[in-house]
Amino acid sequence: MTSRIRQFALRIAAIFRRDSLDCELDAEMRAHLDLAIEENLEAGMTPQQARRQALIRFGGPQQAKEIHRDARGLPFVETFLQDLRFAARLLKKSPGFTVVSVLTLALGIGATTAIFSVVYGVLLRPLPYHNPQQIVRLWEQGATGVRMRFAERNFDDVRAQNRCLSGIAVFDSGLSTVTRHGDATRVQATSVTRDFFDVMGVQPVFGRAFSPDEQRLNASPAGLVSYAYWQQTLGGTRDLSSIRLKLDNHPLSIVGVLPPGFRFPDNSDIWIPREISQETPSRSAHNDQLIGHLRDGLSVDQARADLNTIAQRLKQQYGPGTDMVAVVIEPLRRAMTNDVRPALIVLLVASAFLLLIACANVTNLMLAQAAARERELAVRAVLGAERGRLIRQFLTEAFLLSSIGGVCGVLLAYWGLKGLLALAPANLPRLEDVSINVPVLLFSVLAVALVSIALTLFTALRSTSRDGLNEGSRSGIGTRNKRRMGRLLAAAQLAAALILLVGATLLGRSLLRVLSVNAGFRTQNVATMEIGLPFDAPKADRADFLDRLVTRLRRIPGVDHVGGTNKLPLSDSGFADGSFAPMNPSQISPHVQDLIRRSNSENLANMDPALMSELIAFFDDLFRDKSHLGYADFVVASAGYFPTLGIPLLEGRLFDERDTSDAPHVAVISQSLARQTWPNQDPIGRTIEFGNMDGDLRLLTIVGVVGDVRDHSLESAPPPTVYVDFRQRPQVAWTFTFVMHTSSNPESVFGAARSILHDLDPNIPPRFNTLSQVYSASLEVRRFSLTLIGMFSVIAVLLASAGIYGVISYSVAQRTREIGVRMALGATTREVLIMVLKQSLITGAIGISVGLFGCFALTRLLQSQLFEISPSDPITLCGVSILLLMVSLAACSIPGRRAARIDPATALRCE
Amino acid sequence: MSDSKLDLLQGTLDLMVLQTLSTMGPNHGYGIARRIEQISGNEVLLNQGTIYASLVRLQQRGWITAEWGTSDNNRKAKFYSITKRGRKQLHDDAAYWQRLSIVMSRVLSMPEEEPNS
């Protein structure tokens, strides 16, 4: 074994010592000949005879040298180095070709590498947690197949009864107000149940984890902080007990610091125990987000089976009281990236197309180059070079070209990635994990290898075919084959460019359609101010505070209307929706009415349990028959909200001064809800029970119908909505966004609004924005995709036109003599022009047809990205096809005119 | 066709060189080549130049060593000598060839079988 290694080492050394070893061999051979000649002289030959005989017996010295070299070194490596030197010389000789090829390849490889680095960072890279592939997200699945958040009691049962998870926890994340040294800021805080950190596989690096005492009902909040927050905001102080923080006006004691880099979920900075808040008993209150850790060795499918059994058991036990019939389980990484995955894959495919076009371009260039070296290749073949050897030469040239292109491409990608990340939607998950790292570099190396092979395949096989020497004259049949190959490549480029351009156009038209959607509200000149109110402020205080704020904001000069809501359209905050029961007040007995009244004036927790269960039984009954229930979003708003946002009042009235907290509670509903629940009837005056949303069981009387609002996204239908007045039902308005319609630039009122808020309560930090920014933020992902694919398709069209221009140009140059003959025999310039254009037309037509076929084949890929337009939209396909046809004809008109201007005399003379 | 002939010659030529060095003692390339030609009764017609590839192979395997020295008539030449490992290799290879040649000659001199009457 060691002898093999030793031999290998000696062989490698021999490559480097080539010159000295050759020298030694020369000396040995000379000595050998001298001795042979001497012997011959002694045998009686003449000096010339002696020398001649000695040389004959020795054999060919050159051959001896070659066999020696092969025996002592690594022939493969040495020929490769030789080819590399030859290839480098070749590239230096034709700088134009080299620069163009390198740039083209750099473009293709750079684009693909940049996109792949995003794809890798977002979709493929393992999450930075312990055993990340075993971490899963869980949802309840309803009878209709829809996935919903978990109900707390269901979570408790799943936690107790499962056998497939080593840990399971609930997390709930949101912005909270943190006050420190009198300054208030909004910080992302998450409440978690006791196994959360075990599931994620993290332990505090400083301090300690929560103690059981801190994880019970009504305990004083203890908190864990992120490393970054500890270092930057808390000054990295090692005495945690000295930190004085208030979270939503409650004193928070910090007990530990988590490892650097851990900020799950949503870039949280503070974690508190979930157990300090009251549990929601209803099994149909879908509030909880679940995360779990699979036991070692168990698969997702096995876990699903186990959890589904529990779900069915619970369904049997509680019947209509629970909505869950199965459990949806998905690995965390998949769950986090579901939304962006289709878009990213489309981008990757698009960049791959660009690379293919770049390759085809360079192949054509190399083919043209190879044609110039025909003679050299023919001679080498005749002298005994095997075809394999010549192909290796081409491979080395292609490899050198691709490597240089690859290095430039990676540099281009590094530079371009910065631009890409700046352009990327801010809510792209795992954006911080995107960089040019080792796996990405390996990918680019793979790309370079594939490109080299592709380039070689086309050029080498073509150029090293046996009929090399027969192609003495340039207008032989063999070159026609080459020209046809060139035209096929140009057609392939056109096909790929067509696919890209169609994709970009479809995306562009989708974006235009989304932009033209009627959002249902005004997006210009509206300023927004978002604030967070303490969770447990008394209802009346909260309503009063908001009311005073609204009144004062209205007085700002330049503000026409002021309103507020707890759910701003198109914003990231989650929405609340649920079932409501339309009912007649007469259905409620006076006894139950009294109970309802008491449940609201007294603290629900202090109410007599027997009476509570009476109430619960009454409402369970009501909600049992799902067929006459309605379903809607539940939004808390102010009277001014509708005119501020330009939401039209279609029937009845909006909230006004009559609607105080003691008056009968009122609601305003959206048009689609009216049509859905009370078709062909007048909804005004009807009453509904929607207390499951905020705990207030008083009936809501519908007083008005307003226009629909595309609340969730511009691309989905407006949800049916019930709006309640914040003065009557402020319970779920923990965050409230004020909207102000201004006559001029909305940003001008930020300062005034900030000081008004500060006067009323300096401990509440506001977040300002404008509605037009919210609107464009919702289009970010679309715009990002479109920008990139648009760029790719423009580059692709340019490359493809350069490709077809090059091919037709070359063809004209090759056929100069033939054209000269034709013209001498009487062809007119027009006929020559038509001949050239006909060739281009055929090439273009083939390319476009193949491209169209490809479009049909790839439609499914793009489907999820389009909005109200079919992937095989005929107008788009026709338009792009015609455009490309015209572009190729235009590109070919130049060589066409050149052909037409050929002077037969000079053409026939040149060879 | 020429490839296969060279292959055969590679292994056997190496063996002949080892044997020559073992019996004749240290020698230079020319001397080894001449000796092989003489001993084999000039039945082995090889280009003398191919000796040098064989010599470098044997060197890399550690079966021979080389040193520049002077020949009888004061010519500078590179002298090769067999090593202990080389002797062992020679012994093993020679034994192998002996066995092979006995078996081959037995097989090749197999009489034609008469059909059973």
Side-chain angles (χ1 to χ4, degrees):
Chain A
M1 189 59 190
T2 40
S3 134
R4 286 254 179 101
I5 299 176
R6 187 169 158 272
Q7 277 180 53
F8 191 70
L10 284 170
R11 281 177 177 248
I12 293 189
I15 301 180
F16 288 102
R17 295 178 51 215
R18 208 170 85 121
D19 289 334
S20 78
L21 287 175
D22 278 346
C23 242
E24 259 199 45
L25 182 62
D26 276 339
E28 264 199 275
M29 294 199 313
R30 247 178 297 133
H32 182 120
L33 282 173
D34 287 344
L35 288 169
I37 292 173
E38 244 187 60
E39 195 180 315
N40 287 343
L41 286 174
E42 277 171 26
M45 296 188 206
T46 68
Q48 294 98 310
Q49 271 183 318
R51 188 174 172 75
R52 193 159 159 272
Q53 284 303 318
L55 283 171
I56 291 175
R57 292 314 307 286
F58 188 83
Q62 202 49 37
Q63 266 181 311
K65 277 200 202 160
E66 280 193 27
I67 305 175
H68 189 259
R69 281 204 200 118
D70 281 352
R72 78 183 184 219
L74 289 167
F76 183 74
V77 172
E78 288 181 58
T79 44
F80 174 70
L81 288 176
Q82 193 183 36
D83 285 343
L84 211 59
R85 271 184 290 237
F86 188 67
R89 264 207 308 269
L90 216 63
L91 290 184
K92 259 192 291 197
K93 255 202 294 181
S94 25
F97 160 78
T98 311
V99 167
V100 171
S101 304
V102 164
L103 281 181
T104 313
L105 287 177
L107 213 58
I109 296 180
T112 328
T113 305
I115 300 292
F116 182 77
S117 62
V118 176
V119 166
Y120 179 75
V122 173
L123 296 182
L124 298 174
R125 192 169 181 175
L127 292 171
Y129 312 125
H130 177 63
N131 263 348
Q133 68 279 6
Q134 298 288 89
I135 304 182
V136 292
R137 290 272 280 119
L138 303 156
W139 292 267
E140 289 189 18
Q141 188 171 48
T144 52
V146 64
R147 69 161 80 162
M148 308 169 286
R149 294 191 181 185
F150 256 82
E152 208 133 14
R153 289 278 157 86
N154 285 344
F155 159 70
D156 290 334
D157 285 334
V158 168
R159 180 166 57 178
Q161 297 175 24
N162 86 83
R163 286 174 296 185
C164 55
L165 300 167
S166 64
I168 181 175
V170 166
F171 65 90
D172 187 13
S173 185
L175 283 173
S176 294
T177 306
V178 169
T179 323
R180 184 165 180 258
H181 302 324
D183 285 326
T185 45
R186 300 281 271 167
V187 175
Q188 189 79 14
T190 307
S191 69
V192 295
T193 58
R194 61 174 184 265
D195 293 323
F196 177 76
F197 296 105
D198 287 333
V199 165
M200 302 306 297
V202 289
Q203 292 305 320
V205 292
F206 186 71
R208 59 171 177 80
F210 295 133
S211 66
D213 239 12
E214 288 157 348
Q215 292 174 305
R216 54 179 181 75
L217 190 60
N218 290 331
S220 176
L224 292 171
V225 289
S226 71
Y227 196 84
Y229 190 77
W230 178 55
Q231 287 287 342
Q232 288 159 14
T233 317
L234 301 178
T237 167
R238 301 189 77 83
D239 181 13
L240 295 178
S241 58
S242 69
I243 301 175
R244 298 262 167 269
L245 276 186
K246 277 212 201 149
L247 185 72
D248 283 334
N249 275 337
H250 290 284
L252 179 73
S253 55
I254 305 293
V255 300
V257 178
L258 292 172
F262 182 79
R263 298 187 67 197
F264 182 84
D266 299 332
N267 283 335
S268 302
D269 282 315
I270 296 182
W271 291 261
I272 61 175
R274 184 94 168 74
E275 290 86 356
I276 62 178
S277 343
Q278 181 80 265
E279 248 199 25
T280 316
S282 165
R283 283 182 190 264
S284 52
H286 303 280
N287 300 325
D288 289 348
Q289 293 170 278
L290 256 59
I291 193 161
H293 198 276
L294 290 176
R295 279 193 201 281
D296 288 335
L298 281 186
S299 72
V300 169
D301 289 323
Q302 289 171 305
R304 190 181 295 123
D306 180 37
L307 294 169
N308 279 343
T309 328
I310 302 175
Q312 281 150 19
R313 196 183 306 147
L314 289 174
K315 186 66 175 162
Q316 271 198 317
Q317 208 175 340
Y318 296 101
T322 172
D323 300 317
M324 176 170 69
V325 299
V327 174
V328 176
I329 175 172
E330 203 173 48
L332 180 61
R333 192 177 67 203
R334 261 197 86 88
M336 280 171 75
T337 55
N338 267 336
D339 292 333
V340 295
R341 188 176 306 119
L344 284 180
I345 295 195
V346 166
L347 282 176
L348 192 63
V349 171
S351 67
F353 269 102
L354 191 62
L355 185 60
L356 285 175
I357 296 179
C359 276
N361 235 330
V362 175
T363 306
N364 260 338
L365 289 172
M366 283 182 77
L367 273 178
Q369 266 253 322
R373 292 164 57 196
E374 255 165 44
R375 211 144 263 178
E376 170 222 325
L377 291 167
V379 169
R380 283 176 78 178
V382 158
L383 280 179
E386 307 149 359
R387 198 161 172 208
R389 181 78 179 77
L390 294 175
I391 292 180
R392 261 220 314 260
Q393 171 81 50
F394 269 101
L395 186 61
T396 317
E397 281 169 33
F399 175 74
L400 188 61
L401 209 56
S402 326
S403 306
I404 302 178
V407 168
C408 296
V410 168
L411 288 174
L412 205 67
Y414 182 74
W415 192 58
L417 197 62
K418 301 201 185 215
L420 215 115
L421 290 179
L423 204 67
N427 56 357
L428 197 69
R430 307 188 65 193
L431 210 57
E432 63 279 0
D433 285 340
V434 173
S435 65
I436 309 267
N437 43 35
V438 171
V440 173
L441 287 174
L442 285 178
F443 171 83
S444 52
V445 166
L446 182 68
V448 163
L450 289 175
V451 165
S452 321
I453 294 175
L455 290 178
T456 316
L457 220 58
F458 281 101
T459 32
L461 290 178
R462 268 281 64 153
S463 306
T464 58
S465 52
R466 297 279 153 177
D467 19 286
L469 263 188
N470 293 346
E471 303 176 18
S473 93
R474 272 207 222 121
S475 3
I477 302 220
T479 53
R480 202 207 283 175
N481 282 341
K482 263 203 215 78
R483 290 203 298 268
R484 196 181 304 153
M485 165 73 80
R487 287 207 299 277
L488 274 174
L489 281 175
Q493 286 181 294
L494 279 175
L498 181 98
I499 297 176
L500 271 182
L501 200 56
V502 165
T505 314
L506 288 173
L507 283 178
R509 290 185 69 189
S510 294
L511 180 60
L512 285 177
R513 296 217 174 164
V514 174
L515 283 172
S516 69
V517 152
N518 180 12
F521 58 94
R522 159 190 302 150
T523 54
Q524 297 300 324
N525 287 345
V526 176
T528 67
M529 178 172 80
E530 185 191 339
I531 64 171
L533 299 168
F535 275 84
D536 48 4
K539 223 171 52 170
D541 290 353
R542 201 186 286 171
D544 183 48
F545 178 78
L546 292 174
D547 204 17
R548 274 188 289 153
L549 203 45
V550 167
T551 319
R552 290 206 198 175
L553 286 173
R554 201 179 289 130
R555 293 197 211 121
I556 299 178
V559 170
D560 303 330
H561 299 280
V562 173
T565 176
N566 73 333
K567 167 69 174 79
L568 193 67
L570 301 181
S571 63
D572 273 342
S573 49
F575 56 92
D577 59 353
S579 306
F580 63 86
M583 57 186 298
N584 213 322
S586 58
Q587 286 174 267
I588 309 180
S589 65
H591 174 60
V592 174
Q593 280 185 25
D594 181 54
L595 284 179
I596 292 176
R597 208 176 23 82
R598 281 167 66 179
S599 79
N600 284 300
S601 49
E602 300 168 13
N603 193 342
L604 253 176
N606 291 340
M607 200 166 160
D608 184 345
L611 296 175
M612 271 294 289
S613 33
E614 247 197 272
L615 257 183
I616 292 174
F618 175 76
F619 283 103
D620 271 348
D621 240 346
L622 201 59
F623 280 77
R624 197 177 306 270
D625 183 4
K626 304 247 183 224
S627 60
H628 66 257
L629 292 181
Y631 200 89
D633 279 14
F634 184 83
V635 176
V636 178
S638 77
Y641 175 70
F642 304 97
T644 310
L645 252 50
I647 303 172
L649 174 67
L650 301 172
E651 231 194 291
R653 67 168 179 88
L654 297 173
F655 311 132
D656 54 33
E657 328 70 44
R658 291 175 259 174
D659 306 314
T660 59
S661 55
D662 301 320
H665 285 191
V666 295
V668 167
I669 63 173
S670 71
Q671 187 176 39
S672 55
L673 181 62
R675 289 210 190 110
Q676 197 178 300
T677 320
W678 296 277
N680 302 322
Q681 300 156 42
D682 188 8
I684 309 278
R686 295 193 187 256
T687 46
I688 63 172
E689 173 57 62
F690 215 170
N692 44 335
M693 299 308 296
D694 58 0
D696 190 329
L697 297 171
R698 277 176 276 190
L699 295 180
L700 294 163
T701 311
I702 298 174
V703 296
V705 178
V706 291
D708 285 330
V709 166
R710 286 191 189 244
D711 203 33
H712 301 168
S713 92
L714 289 171
E715 298 174 37
S716 46
T721 315
V722 170
Y723 298 93
V724 295
D725 193 333
F726 76 93
R727 289 166 299 182
Q728 295 182 326
R729 307 276 270 240
Q731 291 93 315
V732 292
W734 305 302
T735 48
F736 206 72
T737 307
F738 291 93
V739 288
M740 295 162 270
H741 181 230
T742 58
S743 47
S744 60
N745 183 10
E747 297 191 16
S748 57
V749 302
F750 287 173
R754 193 192 301 270
S755 44
I756 289 176
L757 176 64
H758 195 267
D759 283 340
L760 274 181
D761 187 344
N763 287 327
I764 298 186
R767 259 201 328 178
F768 288 99
N769 208 347
T770 66
L771 212 51
S772 57
Q773 276 178 6
V774 171
Y775 178 75
S776 31
S778 70
L779 300 168
E780 265 186 329
V781 177
R782 254 189 204 288
R783 260 204 297 254
F784 179 63
S785 289
L786 180 62
T787 311
L788 286 179
I789 296 194
M791 251 174 21
F792 288 167
S793 47
V794 165
I795 297 175
V797 169
L798 287 175
L799 284 179
S801 0
I804 195 172
Y805 164 79
V807 155
I808 299 291
S809 236
Y810 180 68
S811 162
V812 164
Q814 293 290 73
R815 295 166 72 187
T816 312
R817 223 164 132 240
E818 173 201 336
I819 296 175
V821 170
R822 280 181 195 254
M823 290 182 97
L825 288 178
T828 63
T829 46
R830 216 175 122 255
E831 281 171 7
V832 168
L833 188 63
I834 290 178
M835 182 181 79
V836 173
L837 286 181
K838 198 168 74 170
Q839 203 178 54
S840 349
L841 201 65
I842 295 176
T843 312
I846 295 176
I848 290 174
S849 327
V850 172
L852 286 175
F853 181 73
C855 280
F856 283 115
L858 292 174
T859 52
R860 235 177 332 131
L861 196 63
L862 205 54
Q863 192 97 40
S864 58
Q865 302 294 94
L866 299 179
F867 180 71
E868 283 182 13
I869 189 167
S870 152
S872 35
D873 179 53
I875 302 178
T876 311
L877 291 176
C878 285
V880 173
S881 307
I882 294 176
L883 176 69
L884 270 187
L885 202 61
M886 296 203 327
V887 164
S888 14
L889 282 180
C892 300
S893 63
I894 303 171
R897 267 189 300 216
R898 209 185 304 141
R901 277 193 297 239
I902 287 178
D903 174 21
T906 39
L908 287 171
R909 228 182 295 139
C910 85
E911 187 72 9
Chain B
M1 198 179 81
S2 60
D3 281 70
S4 59
K5 202 169 174 199
L6 198 59
D7 277 338
L8 194 61
L9 228 42
Q10 239 190 42
T12 51
L13 185 57
D14 290 357
L15 183 56
M16 288 190 216
V17 168
L18 281 179
Q19 175 69 9
T20 311
L21 286 176
S22 166
T23 49
M24 274 184 65
N27 207 340
H28 47 65
Y30 177 67
I32 298 170
R34 284 301 280 132
R35 182 71 176 162
I36 291 176
E37 280 177 350
Q38 285 164 3
I39 287 293
S40 66
N42 283 320
E43 279 202 41
V44 173
L45 277 172
L46 43 64
N47 287 343
Q48 289 177 346
T50 57
I51 280 287
Y52 292 97
S54 178
L55 287 168
V56 80
R57 263 197 309 270
L58 292 170
Q59 263 190 290
Q60 282 189 346
R61 288 188 175 130
W63 297 340
I64 63 178
T65 54
E67 222 179 62
W68 279 95
T70 40
S71 70
D72 317 329
N73 23 18
N74 270 335
R75 288 209 182 274
K76 221 177 134 210
K78 200 168 176 188
F79 282 80
Y80 297 88
S81 38
I82 192 169
T83 63
K84 200 159 83 173
R85 288 222 329 257
R87 279 190 205 283
K88 180 165 186 312
Q89 185 68 27
L90 175 60
H91 175 86
D92 293 341
D93 273 354
Y96 171 77
W97 273 102
Q98 302 279 41
R99 281 175 64 199
L100 187 62
S101 63
I102 292 172
V103 169
M104 283 308 285
S105 59
R106 256 196 240 148
V107 168
L108 289 174
S109 58
M110 225 167 50
E112 268 188 36
E113 292 239 329
E114 297 292 312
N116 285 334
S117 40

